[in-house]
Amino acid sequence: MGHKRPTITVIGSSNMDLVVRSKRIPAVGETILGGDFLMVPGGKGANQAVAAAKLGAQVYFVARLGDDIFAEHSLVNFRKEGVDTRYVLQTPGVPSGIALIMVDEKGNNSIVVAPGANRRLSEKDVEAARADIARSGAVVCQLEVPLETVAFAAKIADEVDVPFILDPAPACRLGTDLLRLVDILKPNETEASILTGVKVQDEASAYRACEKLLKGGVRTVILTMGSKGYLLADQEGMEFVPGVKVRAVDSTAAGDAFTGSLAVGLAQGKSIAQAAWYANYAAALSVTKMGAQPSMPTAKQVDEFVAGRKCKGKRR
Ligand code: RIB
């Protein structure tokens, strides 16, 4: 970390993850016996906030929880992880977000989310954080909260001239009005396919999808491809960076580890390429542990991991 503590604002979802591990993901209509049940704090927004806080950043999290036991559990966890919760609100009479997650023996997962209070996150909630957004080195959003709220956050980030990072998950088609306000778009293969109509399955199709997104007005695209690596694309060119090989235990929230770390790197003043390179290691490390937030590494863990590995990229 640099001398000055980086500050970021994360606007997004918080869920409680109800996880079962099994040999494989069951087929439709099938019942199988799995391993032990696990309840861990998750949600793409909260995961990214915790990932950044664990790397040492000052993190403002703008979110909505319900008024149930899951909300209390999440709030305790945010405070334990060092996330600033002044903009985490609770909506009476509404359940908190819940995610049902199955993880197979290779670490792959299947997730269904009941958004609950995440659906109530409003433009007004984001407006309340304007002053802290303006002091941030990066603003991060995902798509588990209303699209109008995300668009409003992008508008504020633009007005106060802070880089806006959008992790477009879960994917949906996005209008050019929003895409033009995105400084860094970080889709995975599935999300890039939905956003562009190009079926992303290898390096060549990833290039085509990135070209389309850049033409749509996005300034930089980082298309992550799981263990294969990621493609970094902007108007200057494209660079494919291979993944960091690890023994996968649970890939849940690997993308969130990447996005949270990327935001911290930017807020530290790193170039996008340097920040993405570091995020690639943080994401790989997160895959070696079970659960979303418990798997987010600290800066010390990432630094030691980087020191023990090498990862080369080729510029096009
Ligand atoms: O990205 C992983 C997350 O997706 C999980 O923590 C789950 O809550 C869903 O939001």
Side-chain angles (χ1 to χ4, degrees), residues 23 31 88 91 109 126 185 189-190 194 216 237 247 264 280 306 310:
K23 241 177 144 33
T31 303
V88 179
T91 310
N109 63 52
V126 178
L185 188 77
E189 290 142 297
T190 314
I194 293 171
R247 214 187 119 258
V264 174
N280 196 26
V306 169
K310 274 216 168 113

Side-chain angles (χ1 to χ4, degrees), residues 1 6 8 51-53 55-57 59 138 259-270 275:
M1 307 290 293
I8 69 162
L55 291 176
V59 182
T259 303
S261 315
L262 177 75
V264 174
L266 282 190
Q268 284 172 321
K270 286 181 182 162

Side-chain angles (χ1 to χ4, degrees), residues 15 17 42-44 47 99 101 111 113 144 252-253 256 292:
N15 299 329
D17 290 354
K44 294 180 194 306
N47 295 344
I101 304 184
I111 305 180
V113 175
E144 284 182 336
T252 308
D256 300 329

Side-chain angles (χ1 to χ4, degrees), residues 3-293:
H3 293 303
K4 198 168 161 282
R5 192 175 179 210
T7 299
I8 69 162
T9 300
V10 179
I11 298 159
S13 59
S14 175
N15 299 329
M16 192 52 68
D17 290 354
L18 310 180
V19 190
V20 178
R21 226 192 139 102
S22 56
K23 241 177 144 33
R24 60 188 172 78
I25 311 277
V28 175
E30 188 186 21
T31 303
I32 59 171
L33 291 179
D36 287 338
F37 165 71
L38 202 70
M39 185 175 100
V40 281
K44 294 180 194 306
N47 295 344
Q48 294 170 16
V50 167
K54 280 178 129 172
L55 291 176
Q58 158 82 35
V59 182
Y60 296 107
F61 184 37
V62 183
R64 278 219 172 240
L65 302 169
D67 66 354
D68 47 19
I69 189 156
F70 299 126
E72 286 164 33
H73 194 83
S74 299
L75 281 167
V76 169
N77 186 61
F78 293 148
R79 289 178 188 134
K80 175 176 107 359
E81 301 294 8
V83 172
D84 190 310
T85 56
R86 77 186 69 185
Y87 302 115
V88 179
L89 306 165
Q90 287 187 259
T91 310
V94 171
S96 295
I98 293 290
L100 299 181
I101 304 184
M102 288 178 285
V103 180
D104 73 11
E105 64 181 359
K106 291 186 184 138
N108 301 311
N109 63 52
S110 239
I111 305 180
V112 60
V113 175
N118 293 305
R119 284 212 174 105
R120 309 292 180 104
L121 191 71
S122 67
E123 298 181 13
K124 199 166 147 242
D125 299 336
V126 178
E127 179 63 41
R130 182 186 277 268
D132 286 316
I133 291 174
R135 297 194 312 106
S136 299
V139 178
V140 185
C141 273
Q142 330 70 33
L143 299 177
E144 284 182 336
V145 295
L147 203 49
E148 309 83 68
T149 309
V150 173
F152 186 72
K155 192 171 141 277
I156 292 196
D158 185 53
E159 281 163 14
V160 299
D161 201 21
V162 172
F164 182 74
I165 302 173
L166 180 61
D167 188 331
C172 64
R173 295 302 285 251
L174 297 173
T176 47
D177 285 0
L178 174 58
L179 289 176
R180 287 211 182 97
L181 294 177
V182 176
D183 292 289
I184 304 178
L185 188 77
K186 198 228 66 123
N188 65 16
E189 290 142 297
T190 314
E191 290 143 12
S193 301
I194 293 171
L195 285 167
T196 62
V198 174
K199 188 163 169 40
V200 178
Q201 46 199 0
D202 51 22
E203 239 181 278
S205 47
Y207 278 85
R208 287 200 301 279
C210 283
E211 261 166 18
K212 274 199 153 188
L213 290 166
L214 292 173
K215 274 193 192 132
V218 177
R219 291 176 197 118
T220 301
V221 182
I222 301 176
L223 197 168
T224 53
M225 303 174 75
S227 59
K228 288 182 228 133
Y230 64 91
L231 182 61
L232 170 60
D234 60 20
Q235 300 298 345
E236 313 277 288
M238 297 203 199
E239 178 185 18
F240 184 79
V241 179
V244 182
K245 300 278 172 264
V246 289
R247 214 187 119 258
V249 172
D250 178 11
S251 64
T252 308
D256 300 329
F258 193 106
T259 303
S261 315
L262 177 75
V264 174
L266 282 190
Q268 284 172 321
K270 286 181 182 162
S271 68
I272 294 176
Q274 283 172 332
W277 185 88
Y278 186 83
N280 196 26
Y281 281 90
L285 210 42
S286 77
V287 170
T288 63
K289 282 201 191 148
M290 258 321 268
Q293 286 161 40

